[in-house]
């Protein structure tokens, strides 16, 4: 099972891939632009990533990953924010938070907080775009 932690900072988008034993590859960082996001997600699909770990408030990344049929698991925002503040990750580059997200499924105390990302069913009063 290859897992990738993906975190979008203010200026950078960082991805860290973990193998089935929890070993981490070198972080991948790119400028946080829509085009770079598309390229990075396409790379993750071709790299054989089984699960993508994202923060639950990463709506754009969740939608883009679901379009590419990536299996997305979400981390609660409040818990992630608390850990980031307690460990001063909020003052560090985005790759550090991406590493935390990649390790999340391998940490027993944190694993239980992961949840599946399910698409919202359309509402009856929602109009079709096309």
């Amino acid at each position: 099972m290859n897992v990738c932690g993906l975190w979008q900072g203010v200026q950078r988008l960082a991805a860290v891939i973990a193998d089935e034993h929890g070993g981490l590859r070198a972080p991948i960082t790119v400028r946080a632009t829509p085009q770079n996001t598309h390229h990075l997600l396409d790379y993750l699909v071709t790299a054989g990533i089984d699960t993508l770990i994202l923060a639950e408030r990463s709506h754009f990344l969740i939608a883009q990953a679901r379009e590419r049929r990536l299996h997305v698991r979400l981390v609660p925002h409040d818990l992630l924010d608390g850990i980031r503040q307690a460990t001063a990750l909020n003052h560090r580059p985005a790759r550090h938070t991406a590493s935390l997200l990649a390790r999340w499924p391998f940490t027993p105390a944190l694993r239980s907080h992961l949840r599946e990302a399910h698409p919202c069913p359309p509402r009856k009063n929602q109009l079709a775009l096309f």
Side-chain angles (χ1 to χ4, degrees):
M1 174 175 97
N2 288 329
V3 175
C4 179
L6 186 62
W7 178 255
Q8 184 167 355
V10 175
Q11 297 178 355
R12 309 292 287 175
L13 181 65
V16 175
I17 299 172
D19 62 16
E20 60 271 356
H21 304 293
L24 299 179
R25 295 186 199 171
I28 303 166
T29 58
V30 295
R31 290 195 62 80
T33 65
Q35 183 178 12
N36 287 345
T37 302
H38 293 305
H39 291 304
L40 181 59
L41 288 172
D42 289 340
Y43 168 75
L44 294 176
V45 169
T46 60
I49 299 302
D50 299 320
T51 305
L52 189 62
I53 309 296
L54 297 169
E56 67 183 358
R57 290 193 181 172
S58 306
H59 303 294
F60 177 71
L61 292 174
I62 293 168
Q64 294 296 317
R66 302 270 314 152
E67 282 180 12
R68 288 164 178 79
R69 307 249 190 268
L70 285 167
H71 181 240
V72 178
R73 310 253 347 240
L74 301 176
V75 173
H77 174 75
D78 295 336
L79 179 60
L80 179 61
D81 191 45
I83 292 172
R84 288 185 73 233
Q85 286 184 10
T87 58
L89 288 177
N90 53 348
H91 299 295
R92 296 181 133 192
R95 68 179 183 267
H96 295 286
T97 301
S99 295
L100 169 67
L101 291 172
R103 289 184 182 114
W104 203 284
F106 302 102
T107 308
L110 298 176
R111 186 181 315 133
S112 63
H113 295 282
L114 284 174
R115 64 181 183 84
E116 297 291 325
H118 298 291
C120 298
R123 290 186 267 165
K124 290 182 181 181
N125 61 350
Q126 183 176 353
L127 299 174
L129 292 177
F130 300 103

